[in-house]
């Protein structure tokens, strides 16, 4: 069974083609700058990388470009579209409607459109990608996998905000959480590595990158997570502020005469490590280098705050689960920054946690980095959200005749 996984963004379309016999990736790539000047397709297959410059005005043309290269005699990996058995789509926000992956029909599409106001930047391009794929591949089943679905197991004490209940009833204002596909994969893979049933483990997963979140996964279920109604809440991120006193918003609006759109842009695009470092960079590699090698005070402060906030959440979630068996780092920073992992864990030694500096000296590799006698295991697990989407798509569609 071959499954095409699609992740449609506002100006990009990422893809991977899986052969589910052995879960191998036959090819992967991205169409960049959709609707903009300089659009191109970057395609990787059979150990080679191809770049094709082409005008791409919308997601349908982008996907047509992808499908054409999949069957290209030189660059492709399949002989015809008939080899694609199903398509899996990443969708950012499923609201309260979806607690798992689903077969996409018009009823599901209507629900996605109803959730646009909860994710105005993400759901519209997701929907465009799905509609383009269903039009170009009408004879295969399409499945939606939702970033928010894994966190639908949160209890009311974890997902409700202390504002008048009528706003939850009327507008569904609550904690939704994001990066759910990543937290699901990483927590389950952690249990596999430790050779223990995930249903018997308390795991804290740290998805640390330009966008970051921490999740408390108790016995295989998400019980709390740091992102909330939007991806703005929680940790300090590349350009997002994370947690702050809500009164700061109205204070700045009044003092700086800012509109809602302006203050929203400041908190989402000008804050986080970027804002704390006086605009040095939103890339934590730059921040870390400036802090540790160039001795830049603002960068060091940003790095300290970034790591400290992660440690606070990990500590809080250990309390929320009344214990923790494993802490796992993933995503761009979590997988590659030995410094951040060590710095975060330095706050958590009260848990009986010990990190082995030699084992921690890795980048992008799956490993246990805690010492043998550490009471809490610490791991690095590269995330694989696309594989989760492919597996769910296979599970849902394997009995459907093409």
């Amino acid at each position: 069974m071959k499954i095409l996984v699609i992740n449609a963004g506002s100006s990009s379309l990422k893809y991977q083609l899986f052969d589910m016999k052995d879960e191998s990736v036959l090819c992967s790539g991205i169409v960049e700058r959709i609707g903009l000047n300089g659009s191109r397709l970057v395609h990787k297959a059979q150990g080679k990388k191809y770049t094709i410059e082409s005008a791409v005005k919308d997601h349908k043309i982008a996907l047509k470009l992808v499908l054409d290269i999949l069957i290209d005699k030189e660059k492709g990996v399949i002989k015809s579209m008939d080899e694609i058995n199903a398509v899996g789509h990443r969708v950012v926000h499923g609201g309260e409607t979806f607690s798992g992956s689903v077969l996409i029909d018009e009823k599901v599409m209507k629900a996605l459109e109803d959730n646009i106001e909860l994710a105005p930047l993400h759901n519209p391009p997701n929907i465009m990608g799905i509609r383009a794929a269903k039009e170009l591949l009408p004879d295969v089943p399409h499945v939606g996998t939702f970033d928010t679905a894994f966190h639908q197991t949160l209890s009311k004490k974890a997902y409700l905000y202390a504002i008048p209940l009528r706003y939850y009833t009327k507008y569904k204002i609550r904690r939704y959480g994001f990066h759910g596909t990543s937290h699901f994969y990483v927590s389950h893979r952690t249990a596999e590595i430790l050779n223990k049933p995930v249903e018997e483990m308390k795991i804290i997963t740290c998805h640390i990158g330009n966008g970051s979140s921490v999740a408390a996964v108790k016995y295989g279920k998400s019980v709390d997570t740091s992102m909330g109604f939007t991806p703005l809440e929680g940790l300090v991120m590349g350009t997002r502020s994370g947690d702050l006193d809500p009164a700061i918003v109205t204070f700045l609006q009044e003092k700086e005469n800012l509109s809602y759109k302006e203050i929203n842009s400041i908190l989402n695009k000008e804050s986080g490590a970027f804002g704390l470092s006086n605009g040095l960079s939103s890339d934590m590699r730059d921040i870390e280098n400036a802090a540790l090698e160039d001795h830049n005070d603002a960068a060091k402060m940003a790095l300290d705050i970034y790591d400290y906030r992660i440690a606070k959440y990990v500590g809080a979630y250990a309390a929320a689960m009344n214990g923790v068996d494993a802490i796992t780092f993933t995503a761009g920073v979590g997988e590659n920054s030995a410094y951040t992992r060590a710095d975060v864990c330095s706050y958590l030694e009260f848990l009986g946690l010990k990190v082995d500096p030699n084992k921690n000296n890795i980048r992008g590799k799956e490993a246990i980095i805690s010492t043998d006698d550490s009471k809490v295991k610490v791991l690095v697990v590269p995330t694989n959200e696309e594989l989760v989407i492919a597996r769910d798509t296979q599970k849902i569609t394997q009995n459907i005749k093409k």
Side-chain angles (χ1 to χ4, degrees):
M1 187 176 194
K2 293 184 177 69
I3 293 174
L4 179 63
V5 173
I6 293 174
N7 180 359
S10 58
S11 62
S12 68
L13 188 146
K14 298 177 183 177
Y15 64 92
Q16 288 190 22
L17 183 64
F18 286 86
D19 186 340
M20 298 309 290
K21 288 181 180 178
D22 57 4
E23 297 186 337
S24 59
V25 178
L26 300 177
C27 68
S28 64
I30 182 172
V31 182
E32 300 174 312
R33 299 182 61 80
I34 297 173
L36 304 170
N37 292 329
S39 51
R40 63 177 187 167
L41 166 66
V42 179
H43 176 75
K44 298 177 182 178
Q46 299 169 342
K48 296 180 180 179
K49 179 178 176 181
Y50 306 93
T51 301
I52 298 174
E53 308 286 343
S54 178
V56 182
K57 71 175 183 178
D58 57 34
H59 287 74
K60 182 179 177 181
I61 292 176
L63 184 57
K64 182 66 167 59
L65 202 62
V66 171
L67 297 180
D68 286 344
I69 203 167
L70 292 182
I71 59 173
D72 184 89
K73 288 184 179 180
E74 178 193 351
K75 309 176 186 71
V77 292
I78 55 175
K79 293 180 180 179
S80 74
M81 289 298 105
D82 291 336
E83 291 188 48
I84 298 176
N85 302 103
V87 182
H89 298 266
R90 179 201 178 214
V91 183
V92 169
H93 215 308
E96 291 187 326
T97 313
F98 303 105
S99 58
S101 298
V102 295
L103 192 67
I104 298 174
D105 55 19
E106 281 308 309
K107 184 178 178 181
V108 171
M109 293 302 293
K110 175 63 167 57
L112 296 183
E113 289 167 355
D114 290 342
N115 284 325
I116 283 177
E117 65 177 358
L118 297 177
L121 298 178
H122 297 95
N123 270 28
N126 292 161
I127 292 169
M128 286 189 286
I130 293 170
R131 291 208 179 278
K134 286 175 75 69
E135 185 175 343
L136 293 171
L137 294 166
D139 299 324
V140 301
H142 294 253
V143 170
T145 298
F146 305 88
D147 275 10
T148 51
F150 183 52
H151 302 303
Q152 281 298 298
T153 50
L154 267 62
S155 64
K156 287 185 177 180
K157 66 184 178 184
Y159 75 68
L160 284 178
Y161 292 106
I163 59 175
L165 194 58
R166 62 181 179 271
Y167 295 127
Y168 167 68
T169 304
K170 188 174 182 180
Y171 300 116
K172 297 301 177 185
I173 296 176
R174 53 158 287 177
R175 178 180 307 282
Y176 288 101
F178 299 88
H179 297 142
T181 311
S182 176
H183 289 298
F184 171 86
Y185 174 82
V186 170
S187 58
H188 282 68
R189 182 61 190 143
T190 294
E192 289 176 358
I193 293 169
L194 297 176
N195 198 28
K196 294 181 179 180
V198 72
E199 296 81 8
E200 297 177 8
M201 295 194 70
K202 298 174 183 178
I203 302 168
I204 297 173
T205 48
C206 304
H207 181 108
I208 311 300
N210 192 268
S212 302
S213 63
V214 177
V217 183
K218 186 176 184 180
Y219 309 144
K221 306 292 185 182
S222 176
V223 296
D224 210 339
T225 189
S226 58
M227 282 182 169
F229 181 62
T230 74
L232 182 59
E233 187 181 359
L235 305 177
V236 172
M237 303 176 224
T239 61
R240 297 177 195 150
S241 66
D243 294 341
L244 79 167
D245 184 339
I248 293 172
V249 174
T250 52
F251 181 87
L252 283 177
Q253 283 182 309
E254 182 178 347
K255 292 293 185 181
E256 298 284 323
N257 193 27
L258 298 168
S259 67
Y260 158 75
K261 288 186 177 179
E262 288 172 325
I263 193 71
N264 191 54
S265 179
I266 289 170
L267 296 179
N268 277 284
K269 298 179 180 179
E270 301 177 35
S271 300
F274 178 79
L276 286 169
S277 66
N278 280 328
L280 173 69
S281 178
S282 62
D283 191 316
M284 290 309 296
R285 290 171 294 188
D286 297 335
I287 298 290
E288 189 174 310
N289 287 336
L292 305 181
E293 295 180 15
D294 301 335
H295 306 290
N296 182 299
D297 290 340
K300 184 62 166 63
M301 178 180 65
L303 184 59
D304 287 346
I305 295 171
Y306 184 89
D307 294 348
Y308 176 66
R309 185 74 62 85
I310 299 168
K312 280 177 60 177
Y313 264 98
V314 172
Y317 288 166
M321 294 191 294
N322 194 20
V324 58
D325 299 306
I327 298 167
T328 304
F329 292 89
T330 192
V333 179
E335 294 171 22
N336 293 292
S337 176
Y339 178 87
T340 283
R341 293 191 299 260
D343 195 30
V344 169
C345 290
S346 70
Y347 291 97
L348 305 169
E349 293 174 357
F350 72 96
L351 294 171
L353 177 156
K354 298 177 184 177
V355 170
D356 184 318
N358 293 323
K359 292 180 180 178
N360 186 39
N361 190 26
I362 57 166
R363 293 175 59 86
K365 293 181 179 180
E366 196 172 84
I368 299 172
I369 61 170
S370 50
T371 60
D372 293 341
D373 63 342
S374 179
K375 292 182 180 179
V376 177
K377 299 302 179 185
V378 184
L379 296 85
V380 177
V381 175
T383 191
N384 197 337
E385 297 165 87
E386 291 79 10
L387 180 56
V388 173
I389 296 171
R391 285 173 174 172
D392 280 6
T393 301
Q394 180 185 37
K395 190 183 302 180
I396 290 171
T397 64
Q398 59 188 354
N399 295 320
I400 298 175
K401 290 186 178 180
K402 186 175 173 181

